[in-house]
Amino acid sequence: MVTQPTPTPLLSIVVPVYGVEAYLRQCLDSIHADIPADEVAQVEVVAVDDASPDRCGDLLREYAAEHPGLRVLHLARNVGLGPARNAGLDVATGRYVWFVDSDDWLPAGTIPAVLDRLRVDRPDVMMVDHLRVHECGREEVDASSRLLRATPGVVRLADRPQLLRVQHTAWNKVVRREFMAELGLRFHPGWYEDIPFSHPLLVGAERISVLDRVCYLYRQGRQGAITSTRSGRHFDSFEQYDRLFAWLRHRHPDGRWHAELFDLMVNHFLVVVGNDDRLHPHLRRDFFRRVAAHYRRYLPSGGYPRPGGVSGLKHRLVGRDSYLAYAALRRAHRLAGRLRGGTGGDPATAGTGPAADGPARDRTLVNTHGNGSE
């Protein structure tokens, strides 16, 4: 009897699961229903139950019984979003991996389009567009989506440096699995886990392609989002940027991409420090001091192209560690906004890049490790 080798799937979709009982079936249905009947062998789905405290584990068992193509890992203890993704990656067998969060979902026609483009372009990384979908059903184009437009064929980051400013999440990238291993990339514990993962993918890629169509629906406003959770865990972002710059220093000791990533880091920190929904007022000064310390630590020796306007002023105040001046400007801006009848949003978020609500995956459900699998 000759045993035929099992064909290697083209795509593995890894779905980490934690605390999303109300959304899990919608996510899985959107994936399962979108796989063409003649492409079933080309797509594997790996769901990772990160010791979810609700009925997610039972729902996954029930779903796997109905859909034998779903592979389910049940972790004995909660490890958080990053390590849960790693667990799924460790058992994935596809040539490409896509990390899909379990409270989001895919629009119809996505998987055939992804498979077709992977075959044509054979990229290291393929970037896809998304829509933000609010609980009321309102759909919103992400401010960074325009940077994906008119990307010709397969490129390198040097050809399209603006791709570095597209929202840097794991879920808007389909990645060649061996390429990830070549770069030595894994997800780390803690919040803002996408920071030391997403940027290196683009910096290290020889072949980047863009699928300029909405392939991902990104849920907004869910309870437990860290963009609306006041917590000291937002300080995790400093360690994540330490990891990013350590990787960059090892891979590019000549300083390549340092200035661009430094600018993005400062912009991101300004978003967090200026957001009342993320930092309690009594933490804001300490966070600002840490931002200033990272500014001094990672400031490129040759400087960097500091932005203009209000954003540039914020950069200067960070560089001087001038918290009192920052706080005064923040209050003045908010007062002016109220007098104009607007929201009085923080000037720290003005002009800080295309993903002004936080370029990393900043809305993960709080659990015992503070980040949670979605």
Side-chain angles (χ1 to χ4, degrees), residues 12 25 38 97 141 156 167 175 183 204 206 208 217 220 226 235 240 243 245 250 264-265 274 306 338 358:
S12 294
R25 182 165 283 274
D38 60 346
V97 179
V141 176
R156 298 180 65 184
Q167 180 157 321
V175 188
L183 292 185
E206 293 291 330
I208 301 172
L217 300 174
Q220 304 290 287
I226 74 169
F235 283 77
Q240 303 289 16
R243 289 171 172 141
F245 281 103
H250 173 70
L264 287 173
M265 177 189 75
R306 184 187 295 157
R338 285 194 293 270

Side-chain angles (χ1 to χ4, degrees), residues 65-344:
E66 301 167 5
H67 306 89
L70 175 67
R71 301 173 61 191
V72 180
L73 300 180
H74 295 280
L75 302 185
R77 63 181 181 86
N78 174 251
V79 296
L81 177 57
R85 284 173 172 165
N86 290 338
L89 176 62
D90 287 341
V91 301
T93 62
R95 280 182 281 161
Y96 288 87
V97 179
W98 190 6
F99 298 98
V100 172
D101 288 341
S102 51
D103 58 340
D104 300 329
W105 69 105
L106 310 183
T110 290
I111 292 178
V114 167
L115 295 176
D116 288 346
R117 183 58 65 86
L118 290 177
R119 291 182 175 116
V120 170
D121 289 346
R122 297 175 290 105
D124 295 322
V125 181
M126 184 173 73
M127 304 180 70
V128 301
D129 200 2
H130 71 282
L131 287 176
R132 296 167 177 261
V133 183
H134 296 262
E135 289 295 292
C136 64
R138 179 172 64 87
E139 296 181 345
E140 178 185 0
V141 176
D142 189 85
S144 70
S145 292
R146 61 182 176 80
L147 301 175
L148 295 171
R149 306 290 176 257
T151 301
V154 177
V155 299
R156 298 180 65 184
L157 188 60
D159 305 319
R160 304 287 290 185
Q162 64 267 37
L163 295 178
L164 203 59
R165 294 184 175 271
V166 175
Q167 180 157 321
H168 59 266
T169 61
W171 46 258
N172 66 357
K173 298 173 184 68
V174 182
V175 188
R176 186 164 62 85
R177 189 161 55 91
E178 290 186 1
F179 169 65
M180 263 188 287
E182 292 164 6
L183 292 185
L185 292 181
R186 303 278 287 178
F187 290 98
H188 296 278
W191 285 5
Y192 300 95
E193 75 292 328
D194 286 346
I195 290 169
F197 178 82
S198 184
H199 287 317
L201 287 177
L202 298 180
V203 170
E206 293 291 330
R207 298 177 63 84
I208 301 172
S209 67
V210 172
L211 181 53
D212 188 8
R213 62 170 283 160
V214 172
C215 293
Y216 196 92
L217 300 174
Y218 174 26
R219 190 181 304 275
Q220 304 290 287
R222 180 169 69 82
Q223 186 177 7
I226 74 169
T227 46
S228 56
T229 300
R230 284 182 170 182
S231 171
R233 294 302 304 276
H234 292 286
F235 283 77
D236 288 359
S237 56
F238 295 106
E239 187 174 0
Q240 303 289 16
Y241 275 107
D242 286 338
R243 289 171 172 141
L244 169 62
F245 281 103
W247 181 91
L248 188 68
R249 187 167 55 250
H250 173 70
R251 291 280 176 163
H252 294 284
D254 59 354
R256 190 178 183 189
W257 300 110
H258 189 137
E260 291 84 352
L261 290 172
F262 177 84
D263 179 56
L264 287 173
M265 177 189 75
V266 178
N267 290 340
H268 189 190
F269 283 150
L270 286 171
V271 169
V272 178
V273 74
N275 194 314
D276 283 330
D277 290 335
R278 303 197 199 186
L279 287 178
H280 191 279
H282 78 270
L283 294 175
R284 183 163 290 115
R285 182 190 293 264
D286 288 343
F287 194 94
F288 187 92
R289 299 296 192 210
R290 289 286 300 275
V291 176
H294 264 56
Y295 187 103
R296 293 190 298 272
R297 179 180 304 167
Y298 295 115
L299 180 65
S301 58
Y304 72 106
R306 184 187 295 157
V310 173
S311 182
L313 174 58
K314 292 302 173 184
H315 279 239
R316 287 192 292 273
L317 294 178
V318 167
R320 298 169 186 166
D321 197 5
S322 300
Y323 177 74
L324 293 179
Y326 164 82
L329 183 58
R330 184 172 181 270
R331 286 193 299 269
H333 182 88
R334 292 191 166 208
L335 176 60
R338 285 194 293 270
L339 292 176
R340 292 193 303 267
T343 60

Side-chain angles (χ1 to χ4, degrees), residues 15 17 24 46-52 54-65 70-79 84 87-88 91:
V15 185
V17 177
L24 179 57
V46 180
V48 182
D49 171 20
D50 189 16
S52 187
D54 55 8
R55 291 195 63 251
C56 282
D58 293 334
L59 291 175
L60 286 173
R61 292 183 187 92
E62 295 168 4
Y63 204 94
L70 175 67
R71 301 173 61 191
V72 180
L73 300 180
H74 295 280
L75 302 185
R77 63 181 181 86
N78 174 251
V79 296
V91 301

